[in-house]
Amino acid sequence: MKQAFSENLIALYDGPIRTAKALESMALGDLDGDDRDAVQRRRDQLQKALFRQCEVHSVELGDDLFNMTAASVQKAGLSHLMQQFDVRDRDATHRLLRAAALADDWGNALTNNRRNLEQFFVGSRALVCGTCVGLGDGKLNIKGRRFDLVVIDEAARATAGELMVAMQSAHRVLLVGDQKQLLPQIPREVLDHVSRTIQIDENFILESDFARAFRSEYGRKVARSLKTQYRMAPKIGDLVSKIFYSDVGLETGRSAPPEIYRSLKWPFDEEVTWVDVGGASAREMRKGTSYTNESEADAIVQCLEELSRDSVFLDEVVRTLREEEPLVGVICMYGAQRDLLANRIASSGISERLMRRVKIGTVDSYQGKENRIILLSLVRSNEFGQSGFVDNENRINVALSRAMERLVIFGSSDMFRSGKSKLSDTFRLIEMDGRVHGLPNTSLAAE
């Protein structure tokens, strides 16, 4: 990484969208497609710039070399060039040759009808970044390249096909992920069809290749587990460790939350709180294939309104945030609840100052993200105790582990007090700590 940055060999690619279009525009300016003279002038400028860089980093060159191409350097021969320009450093001359080849690549890219700078960048950079899907774009020609090392982050969430897009060009591969968090996303119709056709359990299909590799004989030899987390405050980290990582012994490598958080009123007065939103009047409502819970939405809005009145807290905490960084993340287990909450918050008494620091999303959109304060809406509440995928261990793990300083869970204690799920285990641990309370009907300011 240090070498790549020092040599300015950095290119960024994100997803299948043509992100290099802006780079092409910068290189070509306002040139018309048929203006070959202008393209040639631009090529000459780029070649001169490249050779000037070569002068700085390797060898003194004369102006008569500025327009030399890689082919002419090859034809002249390294020994002849070294003698002609009194260069005694063969390594410096090799760098000249590489710079000339790079200039040719620039020229070819700029004079090509497709102006495919993306492929040029991929082939000439020491560090290329992108998504598995984005790097599979045919115009990048990844399959024709070889990289010393390919690092795939969030590998446990990638399908086999997505992994192979990046791995096909690697001499060595480093997979980074957590098989206890979100699984690969496979459309339900595909999952059902494959399961029926080859007669295997859908859980086997859903399992990531990362998880299979990790527990394989080869994986046991080369795999390593990181056992210290630095995101979650100690009590939040301890809860997540006990519920999901008891086999690993996950430790917390950070200190307690800043002192200003101790001034907050309930339910933000402690690192972990469960707000009991239960009873017959707090039942879920089905919305197509999704669910909402209006009582939980109202409880979340009430807590945010109270938080927005604490100007002293907001003054101090907002100064520590990056521009546009959310302070509060509201995670919903269902998309319909996310939409309901977005409407309720928009029409609430929450101050504009806090409202623009609130992010609302589903658990599936939150992997890899974090916020100082997380409010989690479980949504499901019915007399039959049916919780659907809310009991999914991977989803619950992601939802609980997004919080940095405060985690507040909104859900029915009747639904989750009993049972053998990880969510029931979570409820019982929080209840043992005396942190399960119903929401007061009056203003929270009385707390």
Side-chain angles (χ1 to χ4, degrees), residues 1-11 125-128:
M1 288 288 289
K2 290 182 179 178
Q3 180 183 359
F5 276 99
S6 65
E7 296 180 7
N8 296 320
L9 300 178
I10 304 295
R125 305 295 90 175
L127 178 63
V128 178

Side-chain angles (χ1 to χ4, degrees), residues 283-293 334 336 380:
R283 297 300 191 195
E284 68 195 40
M285 294 183 63
R286 190 177 182 91
K287 298 290 183 180
T289 59
S290 191
Y291 291 89
T292 62
N293 189 311
Y334 287 89
R380 300 303 299 268

Side-chain angles (χ1 to χ4, degrees), residues 178-183 231-232 236 239-245 272 274 296 331-334 362-367 369 374-380 387-403 407-411 415-416 420-430:
D178 183 353
Q179 63 268 32
K180 294 186 178 184
Q181 296 203 359
L182 292 181
L183 300 171
R231 169 189 294 151
M232 298 173 281
I236 305 174
L239 174 69
V240 171
S241 177
K242 289 177 178 177
I243 298 297
F244 300 103
Y245 299 98
V272 181
W274 184 299
E296 288 185 19
I331 300 179
C332 304
M333 298 305 290
Y334 287 89
T362 62
V363 65
D364 294 297
S365 70
Y366 243 89
Q367 182 153 321
K369 298 181 176 66
I374 287 291
L375 310 182
L376 172 60
S377 177
L378 299 178
V379 181
R380 300 303 299 268
S387 54
F389 66 67
V390 171
D391 270 341
N392 180 277
E393 295 183 10
N394 302 75
R395 280 189 166 95
I396 292 301
N397 187 2
V398 170
L400 299 183
S401 59
R402 302 304 97 192
L407 170 63
V408 184
I409 303 171
F410 294 78
M415 276 286 295
F416 302 106
K420 298 181 180 180
S421 70
K422 295 293 187 183
L423 197 49
S424 294
D425 293 341
T426 300
F427 176 86
R428 287 190 287 267
L429 282 177
I430 298 175

Side-chain angles (χ1 to χ4, degrees), residues 307-308 310-319 327 353-354:
L307 183 63
S308 72
D310 195 334
S311 58
V312 174
F313 171 77
L314 293 178
D315 285 343
E316 183 164 339
V317 171
V318 168
R319 285 198 296 268
L327 168 64
R353 184 184 188 189
L354 177 60

Side-chain angles (χ1 to χ4, degrees), residues 257-302:
E259 187 68 20
I260 187 64
Y261 283 87
R262 297 184 63 181
S263 67
L264 291 173
K265 297 182 176 66
W266 186 91
F268 305 107
D269 55 328
E270 274 289 348
E271 293 176 24
V272 181
T273 302
W274 184 299
V275 177
D276 182 13
V277 186
S281 62
R283 297 300 191 195
E284 68 195 40
M285 294 183 63
R286 190 177 182 91
K287 298 290 183 180
T289 59
S290 191
Y291 291 89
T292 62
N293 189 311
E294 294 194 3
S295 296
E296 288 185 19
D298 291 339
I300 290 172
V301 169
Q302 186 177 343

